Coordinates of all heavy atoms in Angstrom, one line a residue:
M44 N 0.8 -1.2 0.0 CA 0.0 0.0 0.0 C 0.9 1.2 0.0 O 1.9 1.3 0.7 CB -0.9 0.0 1.2 CG -1.8 1.2 1.4 SD -2.9 1.2 2.8 CE -3.9 -0.2 2.5
K45 N 0.5 2.2 -0.8 CA 1.3 3.5 -0.8 C 1.2 4.2 0.5 O 0.2 4.1 1.2 CB 0.7 4.4 -1.9 CG 1.0 3.9 -3.3 CD 0.3 4.8 -4.3 CE 0.8 6.2 -4.2 NZ 0.3 7.1 -5.3
P46 N 2.3 4.8 0.9 CA 2.3 5.5 2.2 C 1.1 6.5 2.4 O 0.5 6.6 3.5 CB 3.6 6.2 2.3 CG 4.5 5.4 1.4 CD 3.6 4.9 0.3
S47 N 0.8 7.3 1.4 CA -0.3 8.2 1.5 C -1.6 7.5 1.7 O -2.5 8.0 2.5 CB -0.4 9.1 0.3 OG -0.6 8.3 -0.9
A48 N -1.8 6.4 1.1 CA -3.1 5.6 1.3 C -3.1 5.0 2.7 O -4.2 5.0 3.3 CB -3.2 4.5 0.2
L49 N -2.0 4.6 3.2 CA -1.9 4.0 4.5 C -2.2 5.1 5.5 O -3.0 4.9 6.5 CB -0.6 3.4 4.8 CG -0.4 2.8 6.2 CD1 -1.4 1.8 6.5 CD2 1.0 2.2 6.3
L50 N -1.7 6.3 5.4 CA -2.0 7.4 6.3 C -3.4 7.8 6.3 O -4.0 8.0 7.3 CB -1.1 8.6 6.0 CG 0.4 8.4 6.3 CD1 1.2 9.6 5.7 CD2 0.6 8.3 7.8
E51 N -4.0 7.8 5.1 CA -5.5 8.1 5.0 C -6.3 7.0 5.7 O -7.3 7.3 6.3 CB -5.9 8.3 3.6 CG -5.4 9.6 3.0 CD -5.8 10.8 3.9 OE1 -7.0 10.9 4.3 OE2 -4.9 11.6 4.2
Q52 N -5.9 5.7 5.5 CA -6.6 4.6 6.2 C -6.5 4.8 7.7 O -7.5 4.6 8.4 CB -6.0 3.3 5.8 CG -6.7 2.1 6.4 CD -6.0 0.8 6.1 OE1 -5.0 0.8 5.3 NE2 -6.6 -0.3 6.5
L53 N -5.3 5.1 8.2 CA -5.1 5.3 9.7 C -6.0 6.5 10.1 O -6.6 6.4 11.2 CB -3.7 5.6 10.0 CG -2.7 4.5 9.9 CD1 -1.3 4.9 10.1 CD2 -3.0 3.4 10.9
R54 N -6.0 7.6 9.4 CA -6.8 8.7 9.8 C -8.3 8.3 9.8 O -9.1 8.7 10.7 CB -6.6 9.9 8.8 CG -7.4 11.2 9.2 CD -7.3 12.3 8.2 NE -5.9 12.6 7.8 CZ -5.2 13.5 8.5 NH1 -5.6 14.0 9.6 NH2 -4.0 13.7 8.0
A55 N -8.7 7.6 8.8 CA -10.2 7.1 8.8 C -10.5 6.2 9.9 O -11.6 6.3 10.5 CB -10.4 6.5 7.4
E56 N -9.6 5.3 10.3 CA -9.9 4.4 11.4 C -9.9 5.1 12.8 O -10.7 4.7 13.6 CB -8.8 3.3 11.4 CG -8.9 2.3 10.3 CD -7.8 1.3 10.3 OE1 -6.8 1.5 11.0 OE2 -7.9 0.3 9.6
R57 N -8.9 6.0 13.0 CA -8.7 6.6 14.3 C -9.4 7.9 14.4 O -9.7 8.4 15.5 CB -7.3 6.7 14.6 CG -6.5 5.4 14.6 CD -5.1 5.7 14.8 NE -4.3 4.5 15.0 CZ -3.2 4.4 15.7 NH1 -2.7 5.5 16.3 NH2 -2.5 3.3 15.8
G58 N -9.5 8.6 13.3 CA -10.0 10.0 13.3 C -9.0 11.0 13.5 O -9.2 12.2 13.6
Y59 N -7.7 10.6 13.5 CA -6.6 11.5 13.7 C -5.3 10.8 13.3 O -5.3 9.6 13.1 CB -6.4 12.0 15.1 CG -6.2 10.8 16.1 CD1 -4.9 10.3 16.4 CD2 -7.3 10.2 16.7 CE1 -4.7 9.3 17.2 CE2 -7.1 9.1 17.6 CZ -5.8 8.7 17.8 OH -5.6 7.6 18.6
L60 N -4.2 11.6 13.1 CA -2.9 11.0 12.9 C -2.0 11.6 13.9 O -2.2 12.8 14.3 CB -2.4 11.4 11.5 CG -2.9 10.6 10.3 CD1 -2.3 11.2 9.0 CD2 -2.7 9.1 10.4
L61 N -1.0 10.8 14.4 CA 0.0 11.3 15.3 C 1.2 11.7 14.5 O 1.4 11.2 13.3 CB 0.3 10.3 16.3 CG -0.9 9.9 17.3 CD1 -0.5 8.8 18.2 CD2 -1.2 11.1 18.1
S62 N 2.1 12.5 15.0 CA 3.3 12.9 14.3 C 4.1 11.8 13.8 O 4.7 11.8 12.7 CB 4.1 13.9 15.1 OG 4.5 13.3 16.3
Y63 N 4.3 10.7 14.6 CA 5.1 9.6 14.2 C 4.5 8.8 13.1 O 5.2 8.1 12.4 CB 5.5 8.7 15.4 CG 4.4 8.0 16.1 CD1 4.0 6.7 15.6 CD2 3.8 8.5 17.2 CE1 3.0 6.0 16.2 CE2 2.8 7.7 17.9 CZ 2.4 6.5 17.4 OH 1.4 5.8 18.0
H64 N 3.2 8.8 12.9 CA 2.6 8.1 11.8 C 3.1 8.7 10.5 O 3.4 8.0 9.6 CB 1.0 8.3 11.8 CG 0.4 7.6 13.0 ND1 -0.7 8.1 13.6 CD2 0.6 6.5 13.6 CE1 -1.1 7.3 14.6 NE2 -0.3 6.3 14.6
E65 N 3.1 10.0 10.4 CA 3.6 10.7 9.2 C 5.1 10.4 9.0 O 5.5 10.2 7.9 CB 3.3 12.2 9.3 CG 1.8 12.4 9.3 CD 1.4 13.9 9.3 OE1 2.2 14.7 8.8 OE2 0.3 14.2 9.8
V66 N 5.9 10.4 10.0 CA 7.3 10.2 9.9 C 7.5 8.8 9.4 O 8.3 8.5 8.4 CB 8.1 10.4 11.2 CG1 9.5 9.9 11.2 CG2 8.0 11.8 11.7
Y67 N 6.9 7.8 10.0 CA 7.1 6.4 9.6 C 6.5 6.2 8.2 O 7.0 5.4 7.4 CB 6.4 5.4 10.6 CG 7.3 5.2 11.8 CD1 6.7 5.2 13.1 CD2 8.6 5.0 11.8 CE1 7.4 5.0 14.2 CE2 9.4 4.8 12.9 CZ 8.8 4.8 14.1 OH 9.5 4.6 15.3
G68 N 5.4 6.9 7.9 CA 4.8 6.8 6.6 C 5.8 7.2 5.5 O 5.8 6.6 4.4
R69 N 6.6 8.2 5.8 CA 7.6 8.7 4.8 C 8.9 7.9 4.8 O 9.4 7.6 3.8 CB 7.9 10.1 5.1 CG 6.7 11.0 4.7 CD 7.2 12.5 4.8 NE 6.0 13.3 4.6 CZ 5.3 14.0 5.5 NH1 5.7 14.0 6.7 NH2 4.3 14.8 5.1
L70 N 9.3 7.5 6.0 CA 10.6 6.8 6.1 C 10.6 5.3 6.2 O 11.5 4.7 5.7 CB 11.3 7.4 7.4 CG 11.6 8.9 7.5 CD1 12.2 9.2 8.8 CD2 12.4 9.3 6.3
E71 N 9.6 4.8 6.8 CA 9.5 3.3 7.0 C 8.0 2.8 6.8 O 7.4 2.4 7.8 CB 10.0 2.9 8.4 CG 11.4 3.2 8.7 CD 12.3 2.2 8.0 OE1 11.9 1.2 7.5 OE2 13.5 2.6 7.8
P72 N 7.5 2.9 5.6 CA 6.1 2.5 5.4 C 5.8 1.1 5.7 O 4.7 0.8 6.2 CB 5.9 2.8 3.9 CG 7.2 3.0 3.3 CD 8.2 3.4 4.4
E73 N 6.8 0.2 5.6 CA 6.5 -1.2 5.9 C 6.3 -1.4 7.4 O 5.5 -2.1 7.9 CB 7.7 -2.1 5.4 CG 7.8 -2.2 3.9 CD 8.7 -1.0 3.4 OE1 9.3 -0.3 4.2 OE2 8.7 -0.8 2.2
F74 N 7.2 -0.7 8.2 CA 7.0 -0.7 9.6 C 5.7 -0.1 10.0 O 5.0 -0.7 10.9 CB 8.1 0.1 10.3 CG 8.0 0.2 11.8 CD1 8.3 -0.9 12.6 CD2 7.4 1.3 12.4 CE1 8.1 -0.8 14.0 CE2 7.2 1.4 13.7 CZ 7.6 0.4 14.6
L75 N 5.3 1.0 9.4 CA 4.0 1.6 9.8 C 2.8 0.6 9.5 O 1.9 0.5 10.2 CB 3.8 2.9 9.0 CG 2.5 3.7 9.4 CD1 2.4 4.0 10.8 CD2 2.4 4.9 8.5
Q76 N 2.9 -0.1 8.4 CA 1.9 -1.1 8.0 C 1.8 -2.1 9.1 O 0.7 -2.5 9.6 CB 2.2 -1.7 6.7 CG 1.1 -2.7 6.3 CD -0.2 -2.2 6.0 OE1 -0.4 -1.3 5.2 NE2 -1.2 -2.6 6.8
E77 N 2.9 -2.7 9.5 CA 2.9 -3.7 10.6 C 2.4 -3.1 11.9 O 1.6 -3.8 12.6 CB 4.3 -4.3 10.8 CG 4.8 -5.0 9.5 CD 4.0 -6.3 9.2 OE1 3.5 -6.9 10.2 OE2 3.8 -6.5 8.0
Y78 N 2.8 -1.9 12.2 CA 2.4 -1.3 13.5 C 0.9 -1.1 13.4 O 0.1 -1.3 14.4 CB 3.1 0.0 13.7 CG 2.5 0.8 14.8 CD1 2.8 0.5 16.1 CD2 1.6 1.9 14.5 CE1 2.2 1.3 17.2 CE2 1.0 2.6 15.5 CZ 1.3 2.3 16.9 OH 0.7 3.0 17.9
A79 N 0.4 -0.6 12.3 CA -1.1 -0.4 12.1 C -1.9 -1.7 12.3 O -2.9 -1.7 12.9 CB -1.4 0.2 10.7
D80 N -1.3 -2.8 11.7 CA -2.0 -4.1 11.9 C -2.0 -4.5 13.3 O -3.1 -5.0 13.8 CB -1.3 -5.2 11.0 CG -1.4 -4.9 9.5 OD1 -2.3 -4.2 9.1 OD2 -0.6 -5.5 8.8
L81 N -0.9 -4.3 14.0 CA -0.9 -4.7 15.5 C -1.8 -3.8 16.3 O -2.6 -4.3 17.1 CB 0.6 -4.5 16.0 CG 0.7 -4.7 17.5 CD1 0.5 -6.1 17.9 CD2 2.1 -4.2 17.9
Y82 N -1.8 -2.5 16.0 CA -2.7 -1.6 16.8 C -4.2 -1.9 16.5 O -5.0 -1.9 17.4 CB -2.4 -0.1 16.3 CG -3.3 0.9 17.1 CD1 -2.8 1.4 18.3 CD2 -4.5 1.3 16.6 CE1 -3.6 2.3 19.0 CE2 -5.2 2.3 17.3 CZ -4.8 2.7 18.5 OH -5.5 3.6 19.2
R83 N -4.5 -2.2 15.2 CA -5.9 -2.6 14.8 C -6.3 -3.8 15.6 O -7.4 -3.9 16.2 CB -5.9 -2.9 13.3 CG -7.2 -2.9 12.7 CD -7.1 -3.0 11.2 NE -6.5 -1.8 10.6 CZ -5.4 -1.8 9.9 NH1 -4.7 -3.0 9.8 NH2 -4.9 -0.7 9.5
A84 N -5.4 -4.9 15.7 CA -5.8 -6.1 16.4 C -5.9 -5.9 17.9 O -6.8 -6.4 18.5 CB -4.8 -7.2 16.1
F85 N -5.0 -5.0 18.4 CA -5.0 -4.8 19.9 C -6.0 -3.9 20.4 O -6.6 -4.1 21.4 CB -3.6 -4.3 20.2 CG -3.4 -3.9 21.7 CD1 -3.4 -5.0 22.6 CD2 -3.3 -2.6 22.1 CE1 -3.2 -4.7 24.0 CE2 -3.1 -2.3 23.4 CZ -3.0 -3.3 24.4
T86 N -6.3 -2.8 19.6 CA -7.2 -1.8 20.1 C -8.5 -1.6 19.3 O -9.5 -1.3 20.0 CB -6.4 -0.4 20.0 OG1 -5.2 -0.6 20.8 CG2 -7.2 0.7 20.7
L87 N -8.5 -1.7 18.0 CA -9.7 -1.4 17.3 C -10.6 -2.5 17.0 O -11.8 -2.3 16.9 CB -9.3 -0.8 15.9 CG -8.4 0.5 16.0 CD1 -8.1 1.0 14.6 CD2 -9.1 1.6 16.7
R88 N -10.1 -3.7 17.0 CA -11.0 -4.9 16.7 C -12.0 -5.1 17.9 O -11.5 -5.2 19.1 CB -10.2 -6.1 16.5 CG -11.0 -7.3 16.1 CD -10.2 -8.5 15.7 NE -9.7 -9.1 16.9 CZ -8.6 -9.8 17.0 NH1 -7.9 -10.0 15.9 NH2 -8.2 -10.3 18.2
P89 N -13.3 -5.2 17.6 CA -14.2 -5.4 18.7 C -14.0 -6.7 19.4 O -13.7 -7.7 18.8 CB -15.6 -5.4 18.0 CG -15.3 -4.7 16.7 CD -13.9 -5.0 16.3
R90 N -14.0 -6.7 20.7 CA -13.9 -7.9 21.5 C -14.9 -7.9 22.6 O -16.1 -8.0 22.3 CB -12.5 -8.0 22.1 CG -11.4 -8.1 21.1 CD -10.1 -8.3 21.7 NE -9.0 -8.1 20.7 CZ -7.9 -8.8 20.7 NH1 -7.7 -9.6 21.7 NH2 -7.0 -8.6 19.8
F91 N -14.5 -7.8 23.9 CA -15.5 -7.9 25.0 C -16.0 -6.5 25.4 O -17.1 -6.4 25.9 CB -14.8 -8.6 26.2 CG -14.3 -9.9 25.8 CD1 -13.0 -10.2 25.7 CD2 -15.2 -11.0 25.6 CE1 -12.5 -11.4 25.3 CE2 -14.7 -12.3 25.3 CZ -13.4 -12.5 25.1
L92 N -15.2 -5.5 25.3 CA -15.6 -4.2 25.7 C -16.2 -3.4 24.6 O -15.7 -3.5 23.4 CB -14.4 -3.4 26.3 CG -13.7 -4.0 27.5 CD1 -12.5 -3.2 27.9 CD2 -14.7 -4.2 28.7
T93 N -17.1 -2.5 24.9 CA -17.6 -1.5 23.9 C -16.6 -0.5 23.6 O -15.6 -0.3 24.4 CB -18.9 -0.9 24.3 OG1 -18.6 0.0 25.5 CG2 -20.0 -1.9 24.7
P94 N -16.7 0.3 22.5 CA -15.7 1.4 22.3 C -15.6 2.3 23.5 O -14.6 2.8 23.9 CB -16.2 2.0 21.0 CG -16.9 0.9 20.3 CD -17.5 0.1 21.4
R95 N -16.8 2.6 24.1 CA -16.8 3.6 25.2 C -16.1 3.0 26.4 O -15.3 3.6 27.1 CB -18.3 3.9 25.6 CG -18.4 4.9 26.7 CD -19.8 5.3 26.9 NE -19.9 6.5 27.8 CZ -20.1 6.4 29.1 NH1 -20.3 5.2 29.6 NH2 -20.1 7.4 29.8
Q96 N -16.3 1.7 26.7 CA -15.7 1.0 27.8 C -14.1 1.0 27.6 O -13.4 1.2 28.5 CB -16.2 -0.4 28.0 CG -17.6 -0.4 28.5 CD -18.2 -1.8 28.4 OE1 -17.9 -2.6 27.5 NE2 -19.0 -2.2 29.4
R97 N -13.7 0.7 26.3 CA -12.3 0.8 26.1 C -11.7 2.1 26.3 O -10.6 2.3 26.9 CB -12.0 0.3 24.6 CG -12.0 -1.2 24.4 CD -11.4 -1.6 23.1 NE -11.9 -0.9 21.9 CZ -13.0 -1.3 21.2 NH1 -13.6 -2.4 21.6 NH2 -13.3 -0.6 20.2
A98 N -12.4 3.2 25.9 CA -11.9 4.6 26.1 C -11.8 4.8 27.6 O -10.9 5.5 28.0 CB -12.8 5.5 25.4
L99 N -12.8 4.4 28.4 CA -12.7 4.6 29.8 C -11.5 3.8 30.4 O -10.9 4.3 31.4 CB -14.0 4.2 30.4 CG -15.2 5.1 30.1 CD1 -16.5 4.5 30.7 CD2 -15.0 6.5 30.8
V100 N -11.2 2.6 29.9 CA -10.1 1.9 30.5 C -8.8 2.7 30.2 O -7.9 2.8 31.0 CB -10.0 0.5 29.9 CG1 -8.7 -0.2 30.2 CG2 -11.2 -0.4 30.4
W101 N -8.7 3.2 28.9 CA -7.5 4.0 28.6 C -7.4 5.2 29.4 O -6.3 5.5 29.9 CB -7.5 4.4 27.1 CG -7.1 3.3 26.1 CD1 -7.8 2.7 25.2 CD2 -5.8 2.8 26.0 NE1 -7.1 1.8 24.5 CE2 -5.8 1.8 25.0 CE3 -4.6 2.9 26.7 CZ2 -4.7 1.1 24.6 CZ3 -3.5 2.2 26.4 CH2 -3.5 1.3 25.3
T102 N -8.5 5.9 29.7 CA -8.5 7.0 30.5 C -8.1 6.7 31.9 O -7.3 7.4 32.5 CB -9.9 7.7 30.5 OG1 -10.3 8.0 29.2 CG2 -10.0 8.9 31.4
G103 N -8.6 5.6 32.4 CA -8.2 5.1 33.8 C -6.7 4.8 33.9 O -6.0 5.2 34.8
L104 N -6.2 4.2 32.8 CA -4.7 3.9 32.8 C -3.9 5.1 32.8 O -2.9 5.3 33.5 CB -4.4 3.0 31.7 CG -4.9 1.5 31.7 CD1 -4.7 0.8 30.4 CD2 -4.3 0.8 32.9
L105 N -4.3 6.1 32.0 CA -3.5 7.3 31.9 C -3.6 8.1 33.2 O -2.7 8.7 33.6 CB -4.1 8.2 30.7 CG -3.8 7.6 29.3 CD1 -4.5 8.4 28.3 CD2 -2.3 7.5 29.0
T106 N -4.8 8.1 33.8 CA -5.0 8.8 35.1 C -4.1 8.1 36.2 O -3.5 8.8 37.0 CB -6.5 8.8 35.5 OG1 -7.2 9.4 34.5 CG2 -6.7 9.5 36.8
A107 N -4.1 6.8 36.2 CA -3.4 6.1 37.2 C -1.9 6.4 37.1 O -1.2 6.4 38.1 CB -3.6 4.6 37.0
I108 N -1.3 6.6 35.9 CA 0.1 6.9 35.8 C 0.3 8.4 35.8 O 1.4 8.9 35.5 CB 0.7 6.2 34.6 CG1 0.1 6.7 33.3 CG2 0.6 4.7 34.7 CD1 0.9 6.3 32.1
H109 N -0.7 9.2 36.0 CA -0.6 10.7 36.1 C -0.1 11.3 34.8 O 0.6 12.2 34.8 CB 0.3 11.1 37.2 CG -0.1 10.5 38.6 ND1 -1.2 10.9 39.2 CD2 0.5 9.6 39.3 CE1 -1.3 10.3 40.3 NE2 -0.3 9.4 40.4
E110 N -0.6 10.7 33.7 CA -0.3 11.3 32.4 C -1.1 12.6 32.2 O -2.3 12.6 32.3 CB -0.7 10.3 31.3 CG -0.3 10.7 29.9 CD 1.2 10.7 29.6 OE1 1.9 9.9 30.2 OE2 1.7 11.5 28.9
H111 N -0.5 13.7 32.0 CA -1.1 15.0 31.9 C -2.0 15.1 30.7 O -3.1 15.7 30.7 CB -0.1 16.1 32.0 CG 0.6 16.1 33.3 ND1 0.0 16.5 34.5 CD2 1.9 15.8 33.6 CE1 0.9 16.4 35.5 NE2 2.0 15.9 35.0
V112 N -1.5 14.7 29.5 CA -2.2 14.9 28.3 C -2.5 13.6 27.5 O -3.4 13.6 26.7 CB -1.3 15.8 27.3 CG1 -2.0 16.1 26.0 CG2 -1.0 17.1 28.0
G113 N -1.8 12.6 27.8 CA -2.0 11.3 27.1 C -1.3 11.4 25.8 O -1.7 10.8 24.8
S114 N -0.1 12.1 25.8 CA 0.7 12.2 24.5 C 1.9 11.4 24.7 O 2.3 10.9 25.8 CB 1.0 13.6 24.2 OG 1.8 14.2 25.3
L115 N 2.6 11.3 23.6 CA 3.9 10.5 23.6 C 5.0 11.5 24.0 O 5.1 12.6 23.6 CB 4.1 9.9 22.2 CG 3.1 8.9 21.8 CD1 3.3 8.5 20.4 CD2 3.1 7.7 22.7

């Protein structure tokens, strides 16, 4: 997949892109593809929790470690 198409797919799935998505898209598109597949399987694929419940778990984890913004 072309890097630009992969970035658009990521944006469509998540609703946003992070700075490292664009860097990897330009420099290491194969790595970004593998990372996107892993993230999709780990976070986006429906399992036991609803999307809202997953978001609340992430919020709880970030709060527990005192993350101010939830950024990298």
Side-chain angles (χ1 to χ4, degrees):
M44 178 181 295
K45 291 176 57 175
S47 59
L49 178 55
L50 289 171
E51 286 308 311
Q52 180 183 3
L53 288 174
R54 184 186 307 274
E56 288 176 345
R57 296 175 177 210
Y59 60 88
L60 286 178
L61 297 172
S62 58
Y63 67 84
H64 293 145
E65 295 183 26
V66 171
Y67 285 134
R69 291 188 181 107
L70 301 177
E71 295 289 339
E73 295 84 10
F74 174 80
L75 182 59
Q76 179 65 60
E77 295 297 323
Y78 171 79
D80 293 342
L81 174 68
Y82 184 86
R83 196 175 294 115
F85 178 68
T86 305
L87 300 178
R88 186 175 72 206
R90 294 183 193 217
F91 302 105
L92 301 176
T93 67
R95 183 170 190 268
Q96 290 169 326
R97 281 195 309 271
L99 289 171
V100 169
W101 279 116
T102 301
L104 291 171
L105 292 173
T106 301
I108 63 169
H109 304 290
E110 184 72 30
H111 297 288
V112 181
S114 64
L115 299 173

